[in-house]
Amino acid sequence: MKRYPILTIAVAACLLITTLACAKKINGALRYAALAAEPTPAVKALAGAPSDVARGKLRALINNVKGATMRRYAARDNAGHTLDCIKIIANPYVSGQFIGVSHAVFNGVLKVNLAVSTDLVNWTWVRELAGSNNGQASQPTIAVASDGGFVVAWEQEPNNHIKVVYFSNWTNLQAGVVAKSYDCPRTLSTCAEGTPNLYSASSTRCDIGHHFYSNCTVDREARGTLTNFSSWTTSAQSNVDNAMLYWGVKGNIGDRDGYTNYLGYNFGLIEGQYTANDWSSWRVFLYDYQTGNADTTTIKTDGGSTAFANPTITKTQLNGQNIMLVTLFIPSEGAAAGEAGELIYYSKY
């Protein structure tokens, strides 16, 4: 978990670099994990699993930024807002259009924005969705509701927690007209629970992944269910944590995006920090839902950036062609010249 301070000198410094663009805050102060070395779980990646071939091919697509069909570093919208931690989906109501939710900093305040694109490169700002009236907002995600409309979730301040909002149709999303909303109470951590992703969503039930600040020292994975926008239950996902700990991750296990079906198998991406407090040690792992194991990635950018965080992965179509769309945040620690910030890229398959 990565947080912003509120209106302090540290914020001014953060605004000069992109390192903390995907940061998050608790009580107005930067919080860093301080975790002693954990024992490596006694697990090993399965060999010869049916999903091996699909996972290998998908991993190759994710790694090959230089060979991607399209890539854009340090992405911004037409109004100049950074597109930090963007989640992109196809708009089912407008043919050929994509919707993106992301966050940006305005005078030291994190706000969630809505933007649209037809080519995944040029983005047009639509409106602010959260951040001005009820506290800072960051780390948004969006999904098409299975019964129509959209569900958007983000990390909400104060009292760092997940907020989930339902918009009944595209018109209302553009206008910011909310049909239902819910602030998920913290139950796993007294300090913070946030950075949601949506495994599935409707106006009556949402399956939400998130992480929690375990013992107020380190981020770990969790998954919860929101029922009728009135009842929230969640539990820790130690099996997912173990898949990351196996590779020697000692810091935070944080943002994730999941359930992308590729060649008949479900996969997701998860960020892990090898060394607590070290932004250059953020890496992205490919999680296999069939085996419960994770693979490392060796992502190759044009300039040779080495640190990657806040991943999303989306299987969609552009101009009738199947594409695998990936977004990553590249912190300035470990970023090549001109590559720090949000990276958007896709490959045809």
Side-chain angles (χ1 to χ4, degrees):
M1 234 178 209
K2 309 173 281 294
R3 289 183 165 71
Y4 280 111
I6 304 176
L7 299 178
T8 64
I9 295 175
V11 165
C14 290
L15 294 177
L16 296 178
I17 60 174
T18 59
T19 301
L20 296 179
C22 289
K24 301 183 288 247
K25 63 179 184 60
I26 289 182
N27 299 325
L30 277 177
R31 173 179 63 74
Y32 293 107
L35 178 66
E38 300 183 46
T40 300
V43 297
K44 292 185 180 294
L46 294 178
S51 56
D52 279 359
V53 172
R55 187 175 65 253
K57 290 182 177 180
L58 181 56
R59 184 173 177 270
L61 286 176
I62 294 164
N63 285 338
N64 191 20
V65 180
K66 291 194 293 184
T69 307
M70 183 285 296
R71 57 199 181 279
R72 184 182 182 188
Y73 298 96
R76 292 176 178 263
D77 64 24
N78 66 322
H81 308 124
T82 60
L83 297 173
D84 296 340
C85 305
I86 191 170
K87 173 61 181 178
I88 301 169
I89 60 171
N91 188 345
Y93 297 94
V94 181
S95 178
Q97 186 181 76
F98 297 93
I99 300 169
V101 291
S102 59
H103 72 236
V105 180
F106 300 82
N107 297 320
V109 178
L110 278 162
K111 299 183 179 184
V112 169
N113 286 319
L114 173 70
V116 294
S117 175
T118 57
D119 61 7
L120 298 169
V121 176
N122 300 292
W123 289 87
T124 301
W125 183 77
V126 176
R127 66 172 296 111
E128 177 189 313
L129 291 176
S132 286
N133 298 322
N134 298 312
Q136 297 195 73
S138 63
Q139 302 291 343
T141 190
I142 185 171
V144 178
S146 60
D147 53 353
F150 300 89
V151 173
V152 183
W154 60 79
E155 187 168 308
Q156 179 68 52
E157 298 287 357
N159 301 318
N160 191 271
H161 65 281
I162 300 164
K163 187 176 184 71
V164 190
V165 175
Y166 173 66
F167 298 92
S168 59
N169 54 51
W170 173 229
T171 298
N172 286 342
L173 177 56
Q174 292 177 90
V177 178
V178 175
K180 301 178 182 181
S181 68
Y182 187 77
D183 289 271
C184 301
R186 293 196 308 239
T187 59
L188 300 176
S189 172
T190 59
C191 294
E193 296 181 15
T195 311
N197 73 290
L198 293 165
Y199 291 107
S200 64
S202 74
S203 66
T204 59
R205 187 182 186 279
C206 298
D207 182 359
I208 303 173
H210 66 98
H211 56 174
F212 66 102
Y213 200 26
S214 180
N215 297 317
C216 298
T217 56
V218 66
D219 289 328
R220 289 294 180 259
E221 295 298 289
R223 187 166 177 171
T225 301
L226 174 60
T227 305
N228 294 322
F229 279 76
S230 62
S231 175
W232 168 250
T233 58
T234 189
S235 60
Q237 298 286 288
S238 58
N239 58 319
V240 178
D241 292 334
N242 286 342
M244 310 289 286
L245 296 172
Y246 170 76
W247 293 107
V249 172
K250 302 298 183 185
N252 293 321
I253 301 172
D255 200 359
R256 79 229 59 78
D257 202 28
Y259 281 157
T260 289
N261 189 277
Y262 182 67
L263 300 181
Y265 299 96
N266 289 325
F267 301 98
L269 295 178
I270 307 176
E271 66 173 5
Q273 186 184 39
Y274 276 110
T275 304
N277 306 333
D278 181 1
W279 280 70
S280 68
S281 71
W282 281 106
R283 299 293 186 271
V284 168
F285 298 79
L286 178 60
Y287 186 76
D288 186 331
Y289 286 96
Q290 289 69 222
T291 65
N293 289 290
D295 281 352
T296 57
T297 59
T298 53
I299 296 168
K300 304 296 185 183
T301 66
D302 290 78
S305 293
T306 56
F308 306 96
N310 299 98
T312 76
I313 184 167
T314 307
K315 185 175 70 173
T316 187
Q317 287 193 334
L318 177 64
N319 299 325
Q321 173 68 54
N322 291 331
I323 63 171
M324 192 62 67
L325 172 65
V326 179
T327 70
L328 304 169
F329 181 74
I330 303 178
S332 58
E333 296 91 340
E339 293 187 353
E342 192 67 13
L343 167 61
I344 302 172
Y345 65 104
Y346 67 79
S347 298
K348 297 177 181 179
Y349 69 93

